[in-house]
Amino acid sequence: MKISTKGRYGLRALIDLAQYSEVEPVSISSIAARQGISERYLEQLMTLLKKAGLIKSIRGAGGGYVLVKDMSEISVGDVLRALEGSLEPVECAAHQEDGCEAAGGCVTKYVWQKINESINKTVDEINLKQLVEESKAVQNKATSSQMKCNN
């Protein structure tokens, strides 16, 4: 399974939004500047995240985007599914109601099911709050090592 730029950039943007929207709504331009993502592309991603009910926009002066739920209630899986669609590594007809011709004797469907379960479990266990905390820790570490180098 390969996550596209939609998933990677969208997750980065949502972590940024979670980190900076605690005080006020966050503009697309500020997220784009901090994350190095084009504003146009970011607008497309925000539209998908908004449709999925993860964020909402605030209009007017001082407007921007905010999370709809607490960051601890939004999983990486929620974000990736909103942007990428299904996270299944293989489209296996055996998973469908119609099945496939080989479903009864297909041994490989067991492999695809296990991989799918593992991916979903992993992305659903990680939430935005954890990633925001990790981001702050990385930033603090980078800041403290810069201070050591400048002395």
Side-chain angles (χ1 to χ4, degrees):
M1 183 187 93
K2 193 168 188 166
I3 303 294
S4 72
T5 55
K6 261 200 294 192
R8 295 192 324 268
Y9 288 6
L11 185 57
R12 282 178 31 205
L14 211 56
I15 293 165
D16 186 287
L17 178 65
Q19 192 167 359
Y20 291 96
S21 68
E22 291 179 303
V23 177
E24 60 188 7
V26 180
S27 70
I28 283 185
S29 59
S30 64
I31 296 171
R34 282 190 296 268
Q35 296 301 318
I37 302 170
S38 94
E39 287 185 39
R40 276 195 158 171
Y41 193 55
L42 196 51
E43 285 172 1
Q44 295 171 20
L45 301 177
M46 295 308 238
T47 299
L48 293 172
L49 294 167
K50 193 174 168 183
K51 276 184 187 176
L54 299 176
I55 62 173
K56 68 179 179 179
S57 59
I58 310 286
R59 293 185 173 266
Y65 288 89
V66 294
L67 297 176
V68 171
K69 304 181 223 175
D70 187 86
M71 64 177 102
S72 64
E73 296 174 16
I74 300 174
S75 73
V76 169
D78 295 333
V79 177
L80 292 179
R81 285 184 203 93
L83 298 167
E84 299 281 351
S86 171
L87 299 178
E88 290 187 8
V90 174
E91 285 189 32
C92 178
H95 295 307
Q96 312 303 322
E97 286 182 28
D98 302 342
C100 74
E101 296 164 9
C106 180
V107 177
T108 59
K109 79 176 180 184
Y110 174 77
V111 174
W112 312 138
Q113 287 171 334
K114 286 297 191 186
I115 291 171
N116 188 45
E117 288 168 12
S118 181
I119 289 168
N120 283 303
K121 182 178 184 284
T122 301
V123 297
D124 289 336
E125 286 178 348
I126 305 167
N127 64 51
L128 281 183
K129 184 174 182 174
Q130 293 168 298
L131 294 176
V132 166
E133 290 168 357
E134 182 67 24
S135 175
K136 287 177 182 176
V138 167
Q139 288 171 356
N140 288 339
K141 189 174 183 180
T143 303
S144 66
S145 58
Q146 284 176 348
M147 292 173 137
K148 290 177 185 175
C149 291
N150 292 334
N151 289 334

